[in-house]
Amino acid sequence: MLTASLLSATVISAPVMALNIVLTNDDSWDTQNIQIMKSALIDAGHSVIMSAPCTGQSGKGGAMTFLKPVSVDETKAAQQEFCVGDTDTSVAFADYAEGTPVMAVLYGIDVAAQRLWGQAPDLVISGPNEGNNLGFMNNNSGTLGATMIALSRGIPAIAVSANENTAHDADQSERVAHTVVEVVAKLASSRPSGSPLLPAYTGLNINTPEEMVNNLGYKFTDVGWNGGGIEFKFSDDLSGDAVLIGYMVQKLMAGGMDQATAKATAQTAMQGKQGLSFSMGDAGDTNANSEGNAVKAGYITISTIDGNVQAARAKVSLTEQRLLGLN
């Protein structure tokens, strides 16, 4: 395990190596996390293009809208900030085109980066997400969807996911952004001359714990299956979902509502409503080195990922043996 203090000391002693970075997310361009992340990267000397969805696109995975024209908001082009996707909900469904994380990052890579740098970025950073993306949940994550499409282009990419408290706690957001800047600096200072930041088609999935002030340092982890202690289910009455109600209460309290009123409001709003819900569970994965367990314990986790859905060779061989004889 590499402690946070050791990594910090290494980074501080290393020269700044400016990179061209496309920054995206799945929570929209108008969020605290992405704005603070952009500022931190620029302060560290990097050139940054923000290309994100115009509206919240959490849980969209690798979704994309195609065979339709897509709106791009370039009103903040002078600040190298762009958002992708329609925002006028009065548009007919057949014509409405959402800007998913995959589409947003591709705009950054294929259009904005070419205009500004004349080439692909050195790095794509997706996040920080308002909520952790761990284990099996990575399959559904828009944060990871944008990361994977960048990896498919051979561009090094880092997915960053933080606790939900970063949606309204600027101090936590600042600490997460500083963590990412440290990791990027370490990658840049340690790479061989002329080499990319990471091996081809390889990325990182970084998750930060609830309390960054007292985090236990960096831990290199496996993705595993544990989604951080939660699993999906479909509920016929969302008012009984403790995780969902807790999330809504947190949002309402961030808007100034007291806790008791926020809880009553959330439960009334969800009473009798059906929809996707959460239950508590570890997906059968209690391995301390799985990122879902490690981030819950208080570590900043770093898992190495790639854009290939190929199973490990040992699993392939076992499966192929069972299928022998198929015509």
Side-chain angles (χ1 to χ4, degrees):
M1 182 184 70
L2 185 64
T3 65
S5 59
L6 177 59
L7 182 56
S8 298
T10 305
V11 170
I12 289 171
S13 65
V16 173
M17 300 184 182
L19 300 173
N20 295 334
I21 299 174
V22 167
L23 177 64
T24 191
N25 72 359
D26 71 359
D27 293 316
S28 91
W29 69 339
D30 188 28
T31 60
Q32 175 172 272
N33 273 351
I34 199 170
Q35 292 290 338
I36 288 176
M37 186 75 258
K38 183 191 176 196
S39 296
L41 290 168
I42 291 173
D43 289 346
H46 304 296
S47 178
V48 182
I49 292 170
M50 180 202 294
S51 182
C54 294
T55 58
Q57 295 289 307
S58 293
K60 291 298 179 71
M64 59 190 82
T65 302
F66 51 97
L67 304 182
K68 292 182 184 180
V70 180
S71 298
V72 178
D73 187 334
E74 298 185 347
T75 58
K76 297 182 180 180
Q79 292 81 45
Q80 297 303 325
E81 294 186 8
F82 308 90
C83 81
V84 178
D86 286 337
T87 57
D88 181 2
T89 55
S90 68
V91 174
F93 178 79
D95 300 319
Y96 190 87
E98 287 187 308
T100 67
V102 166
M103 297 161 67
V105 75
L106 287 179
Y107 177 86
I109 294 169
D110 293 335
V111 180
Q114 294 300 323
R115 288 177 182 171
L116 183 62
W117 304 313
Q119 61 186 28
D122 300 310
L123 175 67
V124 163
I125 296 176
S126 183
N129 191 59
E130 297 175 349
N132 291 120
N133 284 299
L134 302 157
F136 78 90
M137 291 184 69
N138 291 320
N139 296 325
N140 310 295
S141 166
T143 304
L144 270 292
T147 305
M148 293 302 182
I149 200 70
L151 292 178
S152 77
R153 295 290 190 86
I155 300 170
I158 301 175
V160 184
S161 301
N163 187 268
E164 291 89 346
N165 61 15
T166 55
H168 54 80
D169 187 333
D171 179 67
Q172 295 288 337
S173 293
E174 293 278 2
R175 292 175 184 276
V176 171
H178 177 67
T179 293
V180 178
V181 169
E182 283 189 338
V183 172
V184 171
K186 179 61 177 173
L187 288 173
S189 66
S190 62
R191 65 173 168 172
S193 178
S195 299
L197 284 181
L198 292 161
Y201 309 107
T202 302
L204 301 177
N205 190 38
I206 297 176
N207 278 272
T208 59
E210 181 175 1
E211 291 301 329
M212 287 295 288
V213 176
N214 300 311
N215 77 78
L216 300 180
Y218 293 87
K219 184 170 185 176
F220 299 114
T221 50
D222 300 321
V223 173
W225 283 99
N226 193 314
I230 60 174
E231 297 177 343
F232 291 122
K233 65 176 183 178
F234 202 95
S235 174
D236 62 357
D237 186 353
L238 292 171
S239 65
D241 184 329
V243 176
L244 173 62
I245 297 301
Y247 176 76
M248 292 181 67
V249 168
Q250 189 177 61
K251 290 282 189 180
L252 291 168
M253 289 178 66
M257 191 177 291
D258 67 88
Q259 185 171 7
T261 304
K263 184 174 182 179
T265 301
Q267 288 179 325
T268 299
M270 292 295 105
Q271 188 71 45
K273 300 290 180 63
Q274 301 182 78
L276 196 63
S277 178
F278 301 94
S279 61
M280 306 311 293
D282 58 18
D285 181 4
T286 58
N287 189 326
N289 206 50
S290 293
E291 58 187 14
N293 290 313
V295 78
K296 192 173 181 180
Y299 290 100
I300 299 167
T301 62
I302 303 178
S303 299
T304 304
I305 58 174
D306 65 30
N308 192 341
V309 296
Q310 175 69 47
R313 192 67 237 172
K315 291 184 178 181
V316 172
S317 297
L318 286 172
T319 305
E320 288 177 347
Q321 288 173 19
R322 292 182 62 192
L323 296 174
L324 288 176
L326 282 175
N327 294 322

